[in-house]
Amino acid sequence: MTPLRGLIQAMFHGMEGEASMVGSDMTGHMCMLYLLARHWSFGEVVELGVGRGFSTLPLLAGAVEAGQGLVSYDINPQTEKMAVQNLRLKEHHPMRGAWRFRLKGAAPGAQDFADGSVSLWFLDTSHILEETRKELEAWLPKIHPDGVMCGHDYFLHEDPEWKDLSGVKKAVDEFAAAHPDRFHLQTLRHDRGLFILWPRTFWDAAPWSGSI
Ligand SMILES: C[S@@+](CC[C@H](N)C(=O)[O-])C[C@H]1O[C@@H](n2cnc3c(N)ncnc32)[C@H](O)[C@@H]1O
């Protein structure tokens, strides 16, 4: 079995019945994250917010298949262990060496990277408005001109429990409005939403735009 198939087996065997994860809506976004990591890993691939590692799986798998690695940040030291357990990423697992976990806040983590070095950036941290704003702004200089910024829970505020707590949509909308020449904002509505900030270099050159 290839390392990637082993990871998929480990993750999906951990789910009850239908492929769903209690307390997470990441299953529906895994294919998209995998595709993005597979094709946007010409630079660094960064994950902010590891949790139980559900987004780590497709990001790591896609990056590794493209010959790259994944750098993940979380402020909770337990998350590294949880992700390793959920993915059954044993010490000598072929994909373990391609994963770097950093116990650090998402915004300060930006200082670890050279300007323009990140080709894919994924956000799933506190969802708090002020923090989300800081995270987006802190990382912007680090994103490659052709890089993608994306993240989970764009529609989390529609959940009554998160109504007054989640500022993801507001922060991302403000950010996209502030950088209209750099990004085109697209959202996938299902599973609490995935936002994708496509680089204009890609979006405006797409065949359907009529520009090529
Ligand atoms: C919703 S969970 C992430 C779920 C994960 N993406 C998955 O698919 O399993 C949010 C995570 O963000 C982390 N977090 C919260 N605030 C953070 C911050 N400022 N910097 C880094 N991580 C943070 C939490 O510790 C938690 O593990």
Side-chain angles (χ1 to χ4, degrees):
M1 187 180 301
T2 63
L4 173 54
R5 288 183 70 172
L7 280 182
I8 293 170
Q9 186 193 46
M11 178 66 82
F12 281 79
H13 265 223
M15 297 178 193
E16 290 294 325
E18 290 180 8
S20 65
M21 299 172 295
V22 178
S24 174
D25 299 287
M26 196 53 68
T27 334
H29 295 301
M30 281 182 162
C31 292
M32 190 66 201
L33 294 184
Y34 170 77
L35 278 177
L36 284 171
R38 181 71 183 77
H39 296 285
W40 257 269
S41 44
F42 49 84
E44 304 275 2
V45 180
V46 174
E47 175 191 40
L48 305 175
V50 172
R52 288 172 287 169
F54 297 139
S55 50
T56 310
L57 169 71
L59 291 170
L60 178 61
V64 166
E65 284 212 332
Q68 304 292 335
L70 171 69
V71 186
S72 302
Y73 289 82
D74 204 294
I75 49 172
N76 177 353
Q78 299 304 317
T79 57
E80 178 179 23
K81 210 164 80 184
M82 281 194 290
V84 165
Q85 276 171 2
N86 278 336
L87 274 63
R88 318 294 200 273
L89 268 183
K90 296 205 175 86
E91 200 182 333
H92 300 295
H93 191 287
M95 294 179 85
R96 181 73 182 87
W99 189 47
R100 296 276 173 277
F101 175 87
R102 291 187 183 154
L103 184 62
K104 201 174 196 179
Q111 293 158 10
D112 298 345
F113 289 83
D115 284 358
S117 63
V118 176
S119 57
L120 179 62
W121 181 92
F122 171 78
L123 179 70
D124 189 12
T125 53
S126 71
H127 310 107
I128 294 167
L129 176 61
E130 273 308 320
E131 290 199 18
T132 307
R133 278 183 180 140
K134 277 189 204 145
E135 289 159 353
L136 287 160
E137 288 301 337
W139 282 87
L140 177 61
K142 309 299 170 181
I143 308 298
H144 188 281
D146 300 328
V148 165
M149 299 178 84
C150 65
H152 191 217
D153 286 331
Y154 181 84
F155 292 109
L156 183 61
H157 63 282
E158 293 181 354
D159 178 334
E161 280 185 28
W162 283 89
K163 188 172 156 290
D164 301 317
L165 296 175
S166 178
V168 176
K169 181 179 188 303
K170 189 166 169 43
V172 170
D173 286 354
E174 286 172 4
F175 183 80
H179 304 285
D181 298 336
R182 178 76 190 271
F183 297 107
H184 172 86
L185 172 61
Q186 197 165 48
T187 57
L188 305 184
R189 171 156 271 287
H190 61 87
D191 297 295
R192 293 189 170 177
L194 184 81
F195 71 84
I196 307 172
L197 288 156
W198 296 107
R200 285 274 169 205
T201 52
F202 167 74
W203 187 262
D204 293 346
W208 59 86
S209 74
S211 62
I212 58 169

